[in-house]
Amino acid sequence: MKILVCISKSPDTTSKVAFTDGNTKFDENGVQYIVNPYDEWYALVRALEIKEAGGGQVTIVTVGAATDEAVIRKALAIGADEAVRIDADPKDAYYTATQIAEYAKSNGFDLILTGKETINYNGSQVGGMIAEALDLPFVSLAEKLDVNGSTLTLEREIAGGVQVIEVATPAVVSCAKGMAEQRIPNMRGIMAARTKPLTVVAPVAVEDLTSYVSYTMPNAKSAVKMINPENMDELVELLHNEAKVI
Amino acid sequence: MIIVYINSTNGLSKSALETVTYGKKLGADVTVVTNGNASADLLSTLGEYGASKVIVDRSVDGEDAQQLTRLIASVAQTVGANTVIFSHDLIGKAVAPRLSVRLKAGLVSGAISIPEADGTVKVNVFSGKAMGAVKVNSATKIISLLPNSIQPEVSGAACSVEETSGQGGIAAIKVISTKKPEGEIPLPEAELVVSAGRGLKGPENWGMIEEMAKLLGAATACSRPVADIGWRPHHEHVGQTGVAIRPNLYIAVGISGAIQHLAGVNGSKVIVVVNTDPEAPFFKAADYGIVGDAFEVVPRLNEAIKKFKAAQH
Ligand SMILES: Cc1cc2nc3c(=O)[nH]c(=O)nc-3n(C[C@H](O)[C@H](O)[C@H](O)COP(=O)(O)OP(=O)(O)OC[C@H]3O[C@@H](n4cnc5c(N)ncnc54)[C@H](O)[C@@H]3O)c2cc1C
Ligand SMILES: Nc1ncnc2c1ncn2[C@@H]1O[C@H](COP(=O)(O)O)[C@@H](O)[C@H]1O
């Protein structure tokens, strides 16, 4: 099975969130980039497990600049076979998805995996857009994925239950928690990653459909009200009469 | 012309009424598109929330994203829609991106309010640590609304319901089964959530947390390490890499309040924190704080809730 895993970078989850240029740009000062956790822990690791069980090839693709190659090497160290970087600044989800779909079109993948969402923009858009551009089925937020020949069996959480579904390949799937367990790259993987193929592809011309014009920080929370641990009746009273939540 | 897609297979959910209300706030002429088997009588009540017409295609009975995309695109083209609205839920997350490509319409996902005067729409970014203003550059816009961001409002009377059929084409996705958890309240929809972390020391100590949840009619949740070591099921894990929730009340017991945990719960309206350590970072995000040992505080709180519930009856 030929699997394409879409990898994005995201700021390390402990990064301070701040903005510059009159609140129009994310302040990258001192920010460390990591592989977006959903892409790494769930999509990539599950792709590797599928390959280990049934053979095939795992390619990772990123729309990003040359500076993103450190993040790409990390994904290679975890075990992907090869990487593709589409050399462009990912302007919005539509731009990113169109680039990936263009690349995938001529490379015959059986399965395209994305993460549930990027943890910086939380859009949950790119996977569905790739699927539509390629006219393929899309299963969003899958928590389990099994491959049986050309049939995928998936589970996802729907309102009040877990749904089991089947779909034929080729298909696009976005991966959420439960799909796989995080893998820590070992020394051999890290060494091997240095020599794995990383192909740079030129972007196609696409207009972006949306743009972020500015950012704001949420209002600071008012100070916490401390309650005597001996007096839980007071807490219940406050939750009822002041907060009005019970 | 505004189009709102709602899922009505299990009746009209609160988030469906929110999206219709949202549509009404954006323009006078709101067409609701839906599928499934809700009765025409029930669908006509959407008029009260601002719909001028409901179009239902009962031949699309599942949630196949391709079928729904074809259905909504066809209605959008027929009525000449300039805005399409979804709820930012499982279906919205699958269908809105597809429709964006099909209609070449910019998608704003997870909107938290109606558009500003300059036409931009606010969304949460960085897992709720900041907000962004998004501008759509295309003539047609798609907006998916984060559930619980606005309240449904009644503004009119029942509207007409029009049946259509076969707009979705063939489904590619086959639903094999749906497993419903018994008795539990599903976490993503829960209005009250009781959660605990590593401070509870072991899975055998969760009885008092479950008791509190039961007394309040709340769902249970946990921090990531607790799910990772198998003390609690994975679906309870909230945070940046787990479920993101926005309940009215979130009670966190023995959870330190790491930034990745907060990212999944900072949309909660009211947060109560119980922790032995007065320096625990969670207190900075809390509305009510109790410095104390969970093993003393929780049983005492459960008694207080029992007393409160008894007095209400
Ligand atoms: C990329 C990444 C993603 C992550 N995603 C998530 C995520 O989605 N969700 C998540 O939760 N975490 C996530 N984490 C982990 C996160 O950083 C924290 O490690 C985790 O949230 C800590 O869990 P905890 O608060 O239960 O445990 P601890 O940090 O060990 O805290 C236990 C707390 O219990 C208190 N305590 C101890 N005894 C008692 C007692 N008797 N009574 C009351 N209080 C007591 C302690 O004072 C302490 O504050 C992520 C980490 C990374 C690196
Ligand atoms: N620049 C990018 N390059 C490759 N894949 C991406 C990129 N941005 C997003 N993705 C993929 O699309 C998923 C959803 O992203 P988003 O729609 O931004 O929430 C991510 O989890 C990634 O798998």
Side-chain angles (χ1 to χ4, degrees):
Chain A
M1 174 157 277
K2 265 186 90 176
I3 309 176
L4 182 67
V5 182
C6 305
I7 300 282
S8 54
K9 65 169 182 190
S10 64
D12 176 1
T13 54
T14 54
S15 301
K16 188 168 171 295
V17 174
F19 301 94
T20 58
D21 292 11
N23 282 330
T24 59
K25 266 211 189 84
F26 176 56
D27 184 358
E28 293 192 299
N29 213 334
V31 169
Q32 279 271 12
Y33 280 98
I34 58 170
V35 185
N36 187 45
Y38 292 106
D39 310 354
E40 178 189 325
W41 304 357
Y42 304 137
L44 176 58
V45 176
R46 189 64 195 132
L48 296 173
E49 289 170 355
I50 292 169
K51 176 196 143 180
E52 284 155 10
Q57 163 143 346
V58 176
T59 305
I60 53 172
V61 62
T62 294
V63 180
T67 44
D68 298 346
E69 290 191 0
V71 167
I72 297 173
R73 292 282 174 206
K74 173 138 191 253
L76 286 171
I78 294 168
D81 298 303
E82 56 161 0
V84 172
R85 180 172 66 81
I86 301 172
D87 187 23
D89 174 22
K91 295 187 181 68
D92 75 338
Y94 177 78
Y95 180 92
T96 303
T98 309
Q99 300 298 343
I100 295 173
E102 269 311 308
Y103 167 74
K105 221 174 248 173
S106 44
N107 285 280
F109 293 100
D110 303 297
L111 179 59
I112 300 177
L113 300 181
T114 72
K116 170 191 169 192
E117 62 188 26
T118 44
I119 63 171
N120 34 2
Y121 291 103
N122 310 107
S124 233
Q125 299 188 7
V126 170
M129 288 178 170
I130 295 172
E132 183 68 21
L134 297 173
D135 200 20
L136 293 179
F138 173 51
V139 179
S140 56
L141 312 190
E143 299 180 354
K144 248 181 120 174
L145 162 64
D146 287 310
V147 178
N148 203 329
S150 61
T151 305
L152 306 177
T153 307
L154 301 116
E155 287 189 14
R156 61 178 176 182
E157 208 160 312
I158 56 162
V162 174
Q163 190 179 55
V164 184
I165 56 187
E166 266 180 20
V167 66
T169 58
V172 182
V173 175
S174 81
C175 306
K177 80 182 156 61
M179 178 77 77
E181 299 272 335
Q182 183 181 11
R183 275 191 193 179
I184 311 293
N186 58 25
M187 209 50 212
R188 236 179 74 216
I190 295 169
M191 298 302 287
R194 294 193 189 156
T195 53
K196 283 181 180 169
L198 194 168
T199 313
V200 179
V201 174
V204 291
V206 183
E207 282 168 61
D208 43 331
L209 296 178
T210 58
S211 32
Y212 277 87
V213 296
S214 65
Y215 299 91
T216 40
M217 299 303 282
N219 296 334
K221 202 141 184 155
S222 55
V224 51
K225 198 177 254 186
M226 298 310 288
I227 293 164
N228 181 347
E230 303 290 333
N231 192 354
M232 286 301 101
D233 290 326
E234 185 191 352
L235 175 65
V236 170
E237 197 269 326
L238 287 168
L239 291 178
H240 181 60
N241 290 321
E242 186 179 77
K244 299 195 183 353
V245 288
I246 63 170
Chain B
M1 179 67 89
I2 315 276
I3 287 199
V4 177
Y5 169 76
I6 64 158
N7 179 268
S8 58
T9 26
N10 297 310
L12 301 178
S13 63
K14 178 162 172 267
S15 60
L17 304 181
E18 288 166 10
T19 46
V20 177
T21 302
Y22 190 86
K24 178 71 186 174
K25 286 181 188 290
L26 298 196
D29 214 345
V30 178
T31 301
V32 172
V33 189
T34 188
N35 60 310
N37 55 10
S39 72
D41 274 353
L42 182 63
L43 292 175
S44 71
T45 63
L46 290 169
E48 295 166 19
Y49 298 89
S52 30
K53 182 164 78 180
V54 177
I55 298 179
V56 54
D57 186 337
R58 301 184 189 282
S59 68
V60 180
D61 64 352
E63 10 189 90
D64 184 280
Q66 277 172 300
Q67 281 191 309
L68 288 172
T69 303
R70 291 184 204 111
L71 166 64
I72 300 162
S74 124
V75 174
Q77 267 142 14
T78 324
V79 306
N82 56 25
T83 309
V84 184
I85 295 161
F86 289 89
S87 177
H88 193 53
D89 56 13
L90 185 77
I91 296 179
K93 286 176 189 178
V95 181
R98 296 198 78 114
L99 193 69
S100 166
V101 169
R102 182 162 283 231
L103 301 180
K104 287 246 177 331
L107 165 60
V108 183
S109 55
I112 53 175
S113 61
I114 60 164
E116 309 290 312
D118 64 0
T120 62
V121 182
K122 284 233 154 76
V123 299
N124 285 334
V125 290
F126 294 93
S127 306
K129 290 170 212 160
M131 287 176 293
V134 185
K135 183 170 124 255
V136 176
N137 307 324
S138 54
T140 310
K141 291 187 178 58
I142 305 177
I143 301 175
S144 72
L145 177 67
L146 197 67
N148 219 0
S149 297
I150 66 163
Q151 291 304 311
E153 281 169 29
V154 172
S155 58
C159 67
S160 65
V161 177
E162 190 182 303
E163 303 269 347
T164 177
S165 187
Q167 308 267 358
I170 297 160
I173 290 176
K174 198 160 96 196
V175 177
I176 305 297
S177 63
T178 303
K179 305 183 245 177
K180 298 247 177 219
E182 298 268 326
E184 273 175 53
I185 296 174
L187 189 54
E189 295 154 42
E191 304 224 312
L192 309 175
V193 175
V194 182
S195 184
R198 214 146 51 175
L200 247 56
K201 316 276 190 278
E204 67 281 5
N205 297 325
W206 248 264
M208 60 185 186
I209 299 298
E210 283 168 351
E211 186 189 356
M212 192 193 320
K214 204 164 200 165
L215 289 168
L216 289 171
T220 47
C222 69
S223 66
R224 175 166 163 238
V226 160
D228 281 352
I229 41 185
W231 291 0
R232 298 298 293 174
H234 269 289
H235 68 253
E236 284 195 359
H237 153 201
V238 292
Q240 188 137 50
T241 46
V243 188
I245 54 172
R246 332 177 70 222
N248 290 335
L249 173 63
Y250 183 71
I251 302 183
V253 181
I255 300 176
S256 56
I259 192 158
Q260 299 93 352
H261 185 84
L262 295 180
V265 304
N266 55 12
S268 311
K269 299 227 160 72
V270 175
I271 296 179
V272 175
V273 168
V274 180
N275 200 302
T276 39
D277 175 8
E279 303 292 322
F282 219 146
F283 285 118
K284 290 208 180 69
D287 299 278
Y288 301 104
I290 298 113
V291 176
D293 184 343
F295 296 98
E296 292 164 19
V297 172
V298 173
R300 213 175 279 143
L301 176 55
N302 286 351
E303 286 313 309
I305 298 170
K306 271 187 217 157
K307 228 174 18 180
F308 165 74
K309 292 278 173 188
Q312 282 204 310
H313 286 127

